[in-house]
Amino acid sequence: MTDDRLGMHEPISRRDFLNGTLLASAGLVLGRHAPVFGPVAPADAWDGYGGVGDYARAHGDGYEVMSAGHRMRDGAFERAMAGAIDTGERYDLVCVGGGISGLAAAVFFQRQRGGRCLVLDNHAIFGGEAKRNEFTIDGQTVVAHQGSAIFLVPQPGGYTDAFYKLIGMDRSAFAYQSWRGPAPEMPLGHSPYDEPQQYGFYFGSQFGARPGVWVFDPWGRQLDGAPLPDAVKADLLRWRSVDTAGLRPTTEGDAVSRQLDAITLEAHLMARHQISRETVRTFLSPVEGGGYGLGPDVLSAYCNYAIETQFPGDGDDAQGDQMFPDGNTGFARLMVKTLIPDAFAGPRTVDAVWQNRVRFGALDRAGQATRIRLNATVIRVAHAGDPVRAPHVVITYVRGNRLFTLQARAVVMAGGSWTTKHIVGDLPDGHRAAYAQFYRSPCLMANIAVRHWRFLYRMGISGCRWFEGLGNYLSVRKQATVGGMAPSFGPDSPTVLTIKVLFALPGLPIGEQGSRGRTQLLGTSFAHYERAFREQLGDMFAPGGFDPRKDIAGLILNRWGHAYVNPQPGFFFGTGGQPAPRDVLRERPHGRIAFANTDLAGAMDHRNSIREAERAVNQLAGV
Ligand SMILES: Cc1cc2nc3c(=O)[nH]c(=O)nc-3n(C[C@H](O)[C@H](O)[C@H](O)COP(=O)(O)OP(=O)(O)OC[C@H]3O[C@@H](n4cnc5c(N)ncnc54)[C@H](O)[C@@H]3O)c2cc1C
């Protein structure tokens, strides 16, 4: 299709602000991640549009964040470090990373001990993977999550419930928008992970036809009409029909969980459902183990059970997945309000904190107990001398082009394995070896704002799956009625279609799947992605009258270079009598430094971010 028909020249919110500034050769900055599509990428052409509001300058790992991180990894700051400016600041606790884990560490620290605390984060706003994108479409505001999306109704009186109350979460479940549209009402889910009742499968040109083939109500129709060999259909129906009550772990570390951790997820799925390797790789990679980013051939089978086993009490099935309109961003904002009451106007309520803007000037004011410093990439954390006797830790960070140092009595490293292993200068060999067994894979979260979704309603679906191109599924969701959110929603309402693009490359070794995926994610320009999304949605939704030129109102790309932890067999419970890598880091703080982040649990979940943070803060109580 031509650029014009795709709408590449429409004045939508995307790259209109490009200034074409060539910051650096992409080859130099990206290092191992040289571009695969097209030549040098100017920062703006890579970042693209960021939306409006608090998060306009922070969507995914932006070009500057990524560049500073890669320069840190490559040792580019080594020589300059000696000349870093000492800010003269002395803190009781520094949290490296301002995602849910780093913020939670600050909350626990202030509650348990109190003192001077600083949170350092490399983005233009706190939250880590829990951030929002915000668009204005024809005068209306629509939002979506950049990464971390859902939570479950916490078990009353349980761990999660207590923490939510501590940070001012004033309800355990949300009310959601009511229907505003023609009859019949189309049932909609609350979250991007719900498979809605009215669903379709799309088989594109790789399955032999362009335009492709739609199969509506694919499971109800037993895949009738799907352009698939009978053996594959039989595999998929078997996979779908096997009940979930089979052998499952009940507590983390029980015999079943250890058996599962000894094999790959692929082997487990093949055996459990009696299906072929090919079916697993082609059709199930993104949904089985999809929360882990890579192919099931390299993941531990325990991955599929970890989260439910780690938090057995949470999740009231009747109420389903819960979601702030912008995902778990809501929790990050509540924590910041708890730490720094001036950070948002109004009371500490879900409504006020969700709706009111961040007062950035209040985050890092001298004299307040907790400070949050943004746009600061930490490049070195090391004890001032022997870790056993050192009186403090020295933290060096880069902000703009300048290097700074400060001191802390204790440090929680909450940024994640992929960065912590490069930063802690005096990390013991055992810890280093443990971190070497952590893999993280990339993910692109594309938020595509549309002026309406009548095209889906006409097709009789609110969600779908596809098996080629970018991403694998999407669904329209009704939103929680927090803050000033419109109370009703229908096919004429603007909304955001979120497409998660994973880079599973089954058949390749674990490290290579991740690094090849990153090369592709980081080496692709915004314009290339924009064109590909327009073309793909144009093909898929043509039967509903979708016109990419008129119907797309904006596109934000959230590129996460190290989105998901990828536990390999043995990751959770160890192999050959050796401790699991995560336990080395969880059980052994290093002098005045302790380790947090959700990846230490081997499962990406905000509750793990919180739990690991509390454990790390407790470990530092005596230093
Ligand atoms: C696409 C996606 C979807 C998800 N969906 C869900 C979901 O639905 N529900 C759920 O519970 N969880 C979900 N998660 C898991 C998510 O990881 C956690 O919920 C949580 O947000 C992680 O918080 P964290 O603080 O542990 O890590 P992060 O959010 O990664 O925070 C770490 C922060 O530290 C910063 N940092 C790292 N190194 C440095 C440095 N050197 N200097 C300064 N700053 C640094 C990072 O840039 C980041 O801002 C999802 C994750 C992804 C990627």
Side-chain angles (χ1 to χ4, degrees):
M1 223 188 278
T2 63
D3 276 6
D4 198 35
R5 283 190 52 205
L6 285 172
M8 288 293 285
H9 305 304
E10 288 302 301
I12 63 159
S13 324
R14 47 187 170 91
R15 62 198 185 291
D16 318 311
F17 52 88
L18 279 191
N19 62 25
T21 315
L22 204 64
L23 282 193
S25 122
L28 272 180
V29 174
L30 297 172
R32 300 175 205 148
H33 306 298
V36 287
F37 297 105
V40 168
D44 287 347
W46 194 81
D47 282 336
Y49 181 65
V52 298
D54 290 342
Y55 296 79
R57 298 187 54 76
H59 49 111
D61 294 328
Y63 194 83
E64 280 183 31
V65 167
M66 184 264 302
S67 306
H70 288 174
R71 291 173 70 202
M72 178 269 289
R73 174 201 66 193
D74 296 339
F77 298 111
E78 289 300 311
R79 270 198 285 162
M81 237 181 281
I85 301 160
D86 183 353
T87 67
E89 294 163 289
R90 308 289 178 259
Y91 290 94
D92 298 305
L93 179 73
V94 164
C95 304
V96 176
I100 287 187
S101 204
L103 293 172
V107 168
F108 286 119
F109 170 77
Q110 294 297 13
R111 176 162 159 263
Q112 291 166 13
R113 291 163 65 189
R116 287 159 303 154
C117 175
L118 173 70
V119 179
L120 290 164
D121 194 88
N122 51 356
H123 290 87
I125 189 166
F126 52 80
E129 289 170 349
K131 292 200 183 79
R132 91 168 50 146
N133 288 149
E134 190 171 328
F135 300 86
T136 305
I137 306 177
D138 305 330
Q140 289 187 62
T141 299
V142 289
V143 301
H145 54 298
Q146 293 190 19
S148 190
I150 62 159
F151 66 97
L152 302 178
V153 177
Q155 182 180 30
Y159 181 85
T160 315
D161 189 37
F163 184 79
Y164 287 175
K165 289 201 170 102
L166 175 66
I167 62 170
M169 178 72 180
D170 51 26
R171 60 205 85 171
S172 58
F174 289 122
Y176 291 85
Q177 291 168 316
S178 58
W179 180 253
R180 185 184 64 219
E185 175 176 345
M186 187 175 275
L188 300 175
H190 299 166
S191 96
Y193 302 123
D194 285 339
E195 189 176 295
Q197 282 175 29
Q198 291 178 246
Y199 204 60
F201 277 0
Y202 178 75
F203 297 92
S205 55
Q206 280 183 26
F207 293 85
R210 185 159 188 191
V213 174
W214 273 100
V215 177
F216 298 110
D217 188 17
W219 300 120
R221 290 172 194 223
Q222 305 281 299
L223 297 173
D224 187 30
L228 298 173
D230 286 346
V232 174
K233 285 187 190 172
D235 272 3
L236 290 173
L237 291 171
R238 240 183 348 267
W239 168 71
R240 177 80 178 179
S241 68
V242 165
D243 68 59
T244 49
L247 198 58
R248 305 177 86 81
T250 44
T251 52
E252 182 146 280
D254 66 9
V256 178
S257 49
R258 285 170 192 275
Q259 276 167 27
L260 287 165
D261 190 37
I263 58 171
T264 66
L265 180 56
E266 180 172 278
H268 173 60
L269 293 172
M270 288 169 63
R272 183 181 175 116
H273 303 287
Q274 298 296 299
I275 53 181
S276 75
R277 189 181 307 280
E278 215 34 55
T279 298
V280 174
R281 290 189 178 187
T282 311
F283 296 96
L284 303 183
S285 259
V287 286
E288 292 275 17
Y292 286 88
L294 295 186
D297 59 323
V298 292
L299 297 174
S300 159
Y302 183 65
C303 286
N304 260 23
Y305 305 88
I307 290 177
E308 67 189 36
T309 314
Q310 290 167 344
F311 297 93
D314 292 345
D316 174 338
D317 283 349
Q319 302 194 70
D321 292 351
Q322 298 296 311
M323 186 168 172
F324 288 87
D326 52 358
N328 291 331
T329 313
F331 292 124
R333 293 170 80 90
L334 281 171
M335 282 191 270
V336 170
K337 176 76 176 171
T338 302
L339 291 164
I340 306 171
D342 255 9
F344 300 88
R348 196 181 65 142
T349 61
V350 165
D351 290 319
V353 169
W354 191 83
Q355 192 168 14
N356 294 336
R357 294 277 176 232
V358 175
R359 290 168 166 164
F360 284 94
L363 298 182
D364 192 12
R365 282 198 296 231
Q368 64 197 25
T370 302
R371 301 173 68 167
I372 299 177
R373 190 161 300 162
L374 300 170
N375 300 305
T377 301
V378 176
I379 55 174
R380 178 60 47 86
V381 173
H383 292 87
D386 175 0
V388 180
R389 279 179 287 277
H392 60 258
V393 179
V394 178
I395 294 111
T396 310
Y397 64 92
V398 58
R399 211 171 183 219
N401 286 324
R402 299 167 76 196
L403 271 62
F404 301 91
T405 61
L406 47 83
Q407 294 177 11
R409 283 174 59 78
V411 176
V412 171
M413 297 298 301
S417 52
W418 47 282
T419 152
T420 301
K421 66 184 179 188
H422 294 295
I423 298 169
V424 183
D426 51 13
L427 197 65
D429 288 347
H431 291 65
R432 212 170 279 286
Y435 266 138
Q437 295 175 66
F438 279 69
Y439 295 91
R440 300 252 326 211
S441 58
C443 167
L444 170 68
M445 291 286 280
N447 276 324
I448 304 171
V450 287
R451 296 202 154 80
H452 61 87
W453 54 280
R454 289 189 292 268
F455 50 94
L456 286 173
Y457 186 77
R458 278 188 212 116
M459 291 168 71
I461 54 174
S462 68
C464 57
R465 261 205 77 185
W466 59 94
F467 307 94
E468 63 191 74
L470 293 170
N472 306 94
Y473 56 88
L474 62 79
S475 63
V476 174
R477 61 190 169 93
K478 53 186 175 183
Q479 300 204 315
T481 50
V482 298
M485 179 62 59
S488 58
F489 177 73
D492 290 336
S493 313
T495 191
V496 179
L497 303 176
T498 299
I499 298 183
K500 180 192 290 194
V501 182
L502 299 173
F503 299 85
L505 294 164
L508 293 177
I510 188 164
E512 209 177 324
Q513 288 197 29
S515 62
R516 282 209 196 183
R518 253 186 305 280
T519 300
Q520 194 172 335
L521 173 73
L522 303 186
T524 304
S525 70
F526 181 90
H528 180 96
Y529 272 128
E530 179 186 358
R531 193 176 203 291
F533 279 120
R534 285 177 174 277
E535 198 154 37
Q536 188 169 313
L537 296 193
D539 279 354
M540 283 168 50
F541 301 136
F546 177 74
D547 179 347
R549 191 170 48 175
K550 290 198 194 124
D551 296 338
I552 294 180
L555 164 66
I556 301 179
L557 299 182
N558 302 291
R559 302 180 200 236
W560 299 110
H562 307 267
Y564 290 110
V565 68
N566 318 127
Q568 63 279 27
F571 177 92
F572 290 96
F573 306 110
T575 48
Q578 295 300 308
R582 59 179 186 156
D583 289 338
V584 173
L585 297 153
R586 297 204 288 193
E587 288 167 12
R588 296 183 210 160
H590 166 49
R592 296 177 173 274
I593 302 172
F595 307 92
N597 191 277
T598 182
D599 63 6
L600 289 190
M604 306 297 285
D605 189 293
H606 71 289
R607 293 166 299 177
N608 279 326
S609 308
I610 294 163
R611 204 151 68 174
E612 299 299 331
E614 183 173 29
R615 189 252 319 129
V617 168
N618 288 343
Q619 286 172 328
L620 294 171
V623 304

